[in-house]
C-alpha cells in the first residue's frame, strides 16, 4: 500500500446508522480503530470475533457501564467492511448473542458479494 493511502470503509446494512446512535466517545474510539485498519494497523481494543477467523474483528467499547461492539472485516484487499454495530444488552456473560452472530454472518456474505461486484475480486 502506498503511504498515506487509505482503504475505503464500506458500511453494510444499518451499521453506520447504528454506530451514529452510540455515545460520542464510543464513536470516536470506533472511528480511530477503523482509521487504523485503513492504514494496516490494529487498535488496542480490537480482537478477533470468535468463530469468524482472524479477519473479522470487533471493537469493544465501554462507556458509563454499557458495552458497545462494532464488527468489521479486513478480509478484503481493497476495502474495510463494517458489518454490525450494537449495544450488548445481556446482563450476564460476555458471549455475543446468537442473533447478533447470525446477522454478522449474513452481512459478511453481503459484503463478499458487494466486494466482488464493486472491486472485481473474490
Amino acid at each position: 500500500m502506498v503511504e498515506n493511502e487509505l482503504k475505503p470503509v464500506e458500511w453494510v446494512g444499518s451499521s453506520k446508522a447504528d454506530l451514529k446512535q452510540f455515545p460520542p466517545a464510543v464513536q470516536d474510539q470506533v472511528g480511530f480503530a477503523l482509521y487504523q485498519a485503513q492504514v494496516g494497523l490494529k487498535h488496542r481494543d480490537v480482537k478477533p470475533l470468535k468463530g469468524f477467523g482472524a479477519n473479522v474483528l470487533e471493537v469493544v467499547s465501554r462507556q458509563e457501564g454499557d458495552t458497545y461492539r462494532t464488527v468489521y472485516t479486513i478480509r478484503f484487499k481493497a476495502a474495510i467492511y463494517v458489518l454490525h454495530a450494537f449495544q450488548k444488552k445481556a446482563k450476564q456473560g460476555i458471549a455475543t448473542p446468537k442473533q447478533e452472530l447470525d446477522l454478522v454472518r449474513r452481512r459478511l456474505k453481503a459484503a463478499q458479494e458487494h466486494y466482488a461486484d464493486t472491486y472485481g475480486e473474490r
Side-chain angles (χ1 to χ4, degrees):
M1 181 180 288
V2 177
E3 188 174 328
N4 297 328
E5 183 180 329
L6 298 177
K7 289 183 179 183
V9 174
E10 302 282 357
W11 301 86
V12 183
S14 64
S15 58
K16 187 172 189 176
D18 295 339
L19 179 62
K20 295 266 186 204
Q21 299 301 310
F22 292 176
V26 174
Q27 291 181 47
D28 289 347
Q29 180 183 15
V30 171
F32 185 58
L34 291 174
Y35 168 76
Q36 287 187 305
Q38 287 179 284
V39 298
L41 301 173
K42 183 178 168 191
H43 189 275
R44 67 175 185 224
D45 295 326
V46 168
K47 62 182 183 178
L49 182 61
K50 289 183 180 176
F52 287 86
N55 292 329
V56 176
L57 306 170
E58 70 175 335
V59 183
V60 178
S61 305
R62 290 178 180 81
Q63 180 76 18
E64 298 180 14
D66 293 321
T67 301
Y68 301 87
R69 295 183 180 191
T70 303
V71 179
Y72 66 94
T73 185
I74 57 171
R75 175 179 292 179
F76 308 109
K77 185 172 117 180
I80 305 295
Y81 278 81
V82 181
L83 304 172
H84 192 25
F86 63 101
Q87 181 179 356
K88 184 156 182 314
K89 304 255 185 187
K91 302 295 182 205
Q92 297 178 346
I94 60 170
T96 304
K98 182 184 182 314
Q99 67 194 32
E100 306 294 353
L101 295 175
D102 290 344
L103 181 59
V104 169
R105 282 187 191 88
R106 288 192 304 272
R107 289 185 176 176
L108 183 57
K109 184 176 181 183
Q112 290 170 325
E113 292 169 2
H114 180 271
Y115 187 77
D117 292 344
T118 304
Y119 297 94
E121 299 177 30
R122 288 254 170 222

